[in-house]
Amino acid sequence: SVGLIVDIDDQGCVLRVGPTDDGSHEDPTTGEFASGGLEPTPASCARSLDGRQTMNEWRVKNYRTIGLFVFEPIKVRKKISMSDGFGGCIPSEYEDDIDLADVVTDFPDLRIFSVRNGSFQQYDRSAESWSPVTYDEILGG
């Protein structure tokens, strides 16, 4: 529930979109990117936002990072190694709760946004509080 807010400059920036985890990955043999997402039409982009249940996925290029967007409670995927039962280990992932303080520490140079009380909010690191912010203020940063 921590995602990037990006600004895209041209129509070729958005490559694929989807309202779920689309299984995007890099093919280890060819190095090519593969995605289960859809072509970025107005309808598929709207569906990726409006139809999101747990996560959504956008594949983009040539973007400018604006900041982070957090949904509370804040959850992230963590990697672990599990026993395979035969003396070896297999890699796995699980979802875990983290505190806003962890996000602030892990991303010291990025602005942090959320939706609170029905409006966009920006986290003020020095005051350790949230305050309303407009869409134009988010992009103008």
Side-chain angles (χ1 to χ4, degrees):
S1 56
V2 176
L4 286 176
I5 299 175
V6 299
D7 188 16
I8 53 177
D9 293 327
D10 62 57
Q11 290 194 10
C13 290
V14 180
L15 305 174
R16 307 293 283 183
V17 299
T20 64
D21 177 353
D22 290 320
S24 296
H25 64 281
E26 186 176 301
D27 185 313
T29 56
T30 65
E32 292 183 20
F33 181 79
S35 171
L38 302 171
E39 291 292 323
T41 65
S44 65
C45 290
R47 183 174 169 255
S48 77
L49 299 173
D50 298 336
R52 181 189 66 79
Q53 294 179 7
T54 57
M55 63 186 70
N56 64 356
E57 185 173 308
W58 284 46
R59 175 73 174 168
V60 296
K61 65 178 183 176
N62 302 329
Y63 59 89
R64 178 177 64 95
T65 302
I66 303 285
L68 297 175
F69 194 90
V70 297
F71 291 97
E72 296 178 292
I74 304 170
K75 296 182 179 289
V76 295
R77 287 191 168 184
K78 293 186 177 179
K79 293 184 181 213
I80 59 171
S81 292
M82 299 176 58
S83 170
D84 65 3
F86 300 100
C89 291
I90 52 175
S92 185
E93 293 182 359
Y94 73 101
E95 196 170 79
D96 196 14
D97 293 331
I98 63 168
D99 294 321
L100 179 60
D102 295 322
V103 177
V104 170
T105 300
D106 290 344
F107 298 94
D109 299 326
L110 292 179
R111 297 160 63 208
I112 301 172
F113 302 94
S114 191
V115 170
R116 303 168 68 87
N117 303 319
S119 70
F120 289 123
Q121 303 269 319
Q122 180 171 348
Y123 186 72
D124 182 330
R125 293 168 187 264
S126 59
E128 297 182 354
S129 64
W130 294 94
S131 59
V133 64
T134 66
Y135 176 80
D136 288 337
E137 290 171 325
I138 292 171
L139 290 180

